[in-house]
Amino acid sequence: MKKISIQFLSPLLIIILFNSIIFQLQAGSPTPKKVNKPKNIIFLIGDGMGTAQIYAALTIKKDKLNIAKFKHIGFHKTYSAKDYITDSAAGATAFSTGHKTKNGYLAVDTNKKVLPTILELAEQKGLSTGLVVCCAITHATPAAFIAHESDRNDYEDIAPWFLKTDVDVFIGGGKQYFENRKDKRNLSDSLRKRNYQLVYDLNQLQAVTKGKIAAMLYQDHPPSMLGGRGDMLGKSSSKAISVLSQNKKGFFMMIEGSQIDWACHNNSNDTLIGEMLDFDDVVGIALDFAKSNGETLVVVTADHETGGYALTENTLTDGKPSGKFNTKGHTAVMVPVFAYGPGAEEFMGIMENTDIFFKFRKLLFGY
Ligand code: MG
Ligand code: ZN
């Protein structure tokens, strides 16, 4: 027995010694770790962002678009459980739970059964989690990661879900749904009791450097870029990344360019371009962090295309295309998926929107 264990022991010792040398080399090296699986995921959703919207922005930026830096690119099919054309609630539920559901439903199946979300799974596994948006935080896309409701429009029913999951950082608008409610509850007081730092403007947000953050920067939705939103989404995303990345176990966060969709619903070319360029700046912030960190997967996609946006004019005015819209609603077309970092190669080819959930879960948790 003794002989066998010594025979096993000596190669084992060599392996341990070798690994410790490798580890020391890595620790002393300024280049980021090379890993196969991400510790962190930054998931960016450009609501309503199709290929024509991206190409308009690419044209204006003379190819210097952050989205153009991705090498791993695919498409996903956006249809929902009952409809060829999805809405944002069913679209975000596909990403957050891996299930196609009815339009209007948030993280429940077609029978209204609660579905666990990737954000809730991340919380259970000890990761930090975050939601950063430029709409009310109770709006469909962020809500599908934390709330389980069959009516996306009932913001006052959605808000209390932020007390049920211990999301570490959430930033957006929608203060009124927490503090000025028909039922007279003040949800912000309840958040404070759960150790959240309540933040109401960007200056206050800059001053917070760690811990849990509930930032409600507007009563309802923030304005559009043309309406003066400024770099609210960029500053909020940078802050969330710097706070969430303090967790050694990793983090999952969703950042939404919420108003690309609204610009397209309004068939406003200029508003759309403002929103696209803002969203691309935020993609750049995520990519910069991922490049220096080395253990972060960045995935950028849309829930669906909005407006049937088409570049049908053969001229540019000051380098700017004037796209035309074919509908005030959403369309059924595939939308692109861009990935960078460990696991990025998983996001190539044509996939279902629900596959994005399963890929995230496999990469983060191994199943
Ligand atoms: Mg949305
Ligand atoms: Zn929409």
Side-chain angles (χ1 to χ4, degrees):
M1 280 299 279
K2 215 168 191 184
K3 250 187 182 166
I4 293 166
S5 69
I6 288 164
Q7 275 174 348
F8 272 108
L9 209 63
S10 52
L12 195 68
L13 272 171
I14 291 165
I15 289 167
I16 290 168
L17 265 168
F18 182 72
N19 276 341
S20 76
I21 289 163
I22 293 288
F23 179 76
Q24 279 167 8
L25 283 173
Q26 281 177 340
S29 147
T31 51
K33 261 194 243 175
K34 279 270 178 285
V35 291
N36 297 323
K37 288 195 187 326
K39 193 172 84 175
N40 315 308
I41 292 180
I42 304 176
F43 182 35
L44 294 112
I45 302 174
D47 196 316
M49 179 182 74
T51 50
Q53 285 85 344
I54 294 168
Y55 193 63
L58 189 74
T59 304
I60 290 162
K61 294 285 271 197
K62 299 189 167 51
D63 294 340
K64 290 195 175 60
L65 206 67
N66 291 305
I67 293 176
K69 294 175 182 166
F70 290 86
K71 301 285 181 257
H72 295 94
I73 301 172
F75 285 91
H76 75 74
K77 297 188 279 177
T78 66
Y79 68 94
S80 61
K82 309 273 181 192
D83 291 284
Y84 193 41
I85 298 178
T86 190
D87 80 327
S88 292
T93 296
F95 301 146
S96 70
T97 72
H99 284 75
K100 294 203 186 242
T101 193
K102 280 187 196 169
N103 288 359
Y105 283 19
L106 298 167
V108 293
D109 71 9
T110 52
N111 298 314
K112 304 189 182 180
K113 195 181 125 240
V114 169
L115 301 166
T117 74
I118 188 78
L119 186 144
E120 291 164 347
L121 294 177
E123 274 296 324
Q124 285 162 17
K125 301 273 184 185
L127 277 70
S128 289
T129 59
L131 296 170
V132 179
V133 299
C134 53
C135 59
I137 195 71
T138 49
H139 206 250
T141 309
F145 286 81
I146 197 162
H148 304 273
E149 291 282 343
S150 54
D151 180 5
R152 61 173 279 182
N153 295 311
D154 199 335
Y155 290 179
E156 291 196 10
D157 270 0
I158 290 166
W161 285 101
F162 284 81
L163 292 158
K164 291 182 188 164
T165 291
D166 205 27
V167 56
D168 294 273
V169 174
F170 62 94
I171 307 174
K175 183 182 166 205
Q176 67 188 73
Y177 309 113
F178 289 80
E179 299 187 5
N180 188 14
R181 298 167 53 84
K182 285 189 218 86
D183 65 7
K184 304 289 175 206
R185 285 172 71 192
N186 186 327
L187 302 184
S188 293
D189 287 344
S190 309
L191 286 166
R192 277 187 200 95
K193 285 191 191 117
R194 286 165 170 76
N195 295 322
Y196 281 90
Q197 302 161 87
L198 269 286
V199 168
Y200 297 110
D201 64 51
L202 271 183
N203 288 334
Q204 283 182 345
L205 182 65
Q206 292 307 346
V208 180
T209 56
K210 56 178 193 264
K212 297 202 290 185
I213 304 173
M216 302 170 201
L217 307 179
Y218 299 86
Q219 283 295 337
D220 195 6
H221 301 304
S224 68
M225 286 307 286
L226 291 192
R229 188 170 76 240
D231 57 356
M232 170 251 165
L233 191 63
K235 283 206 170 107
S236 302
S237 301
S238 297
K239 178 57 70 179
I241 290 169
S242 84
V243 170
L244 295 173
S245 61
Q246 292 166 23
N247 185 345
K248 295 214 160 30
K249 286 186 176 169
F251 68 86
F252 172 86
M253 74 180 303
M254 191 283 291
I255 303 172
E256 187 195 21
S258 317
Q259 300 197 25
I260 298 166
D261 177 62
W262 303 351
C264 293
H265 279 297
N266 290 329
N267 288 184
S268 169
N269 193 62
D270 287 349
T271 311
L272 165 63
I273 285 161
E275 295 303 322
M276 277 302 306
L277 297 182
D278 181 53
F279 182 64
D280 188 66
D281 286 345
V282 180
V283 170
I285 290 167
L287 279 179
D288 286 347
F289 173 79
K291 271 179 195 152
S292 65
N293 173 267
E295 294 181 284
T296 302
L297 170 68
V298 177
V299 173
V300 181
T301 192
D303 46 359
H304 52 74
E305 195 274 345
T306 306
Y309 188 61
L311 302 170
T312 51
E313 299 271 308
N314 194 19
T315 51
L316 298 172
T317 311
D318 300 327
K320 205 167 85 177
S322 51
K324 296 279 177 287
F325 295 89
N326 288 291
T327 172
K328 294 255 178 191
H330 301 168
T331 69
V333 291
M334 298 189 292
V335 291
V337 183
F338 304 88
Y340 172 87
E345 61 286 347
E346 297 291 324
F347 295 85
M348 297 165 76
I350 295 176
M351 65 198 93
E352 296 289 345
N353 54 1
T354 47
D355 289 337
I356 290 174
F357 167 86
F358 295 109
K359 291 173 194 298
F360 284 168
R361 193 179 67 179
K362 183 99 208 260
L363 287 165
L364 281 180
F365 311 125
Y367 72 101

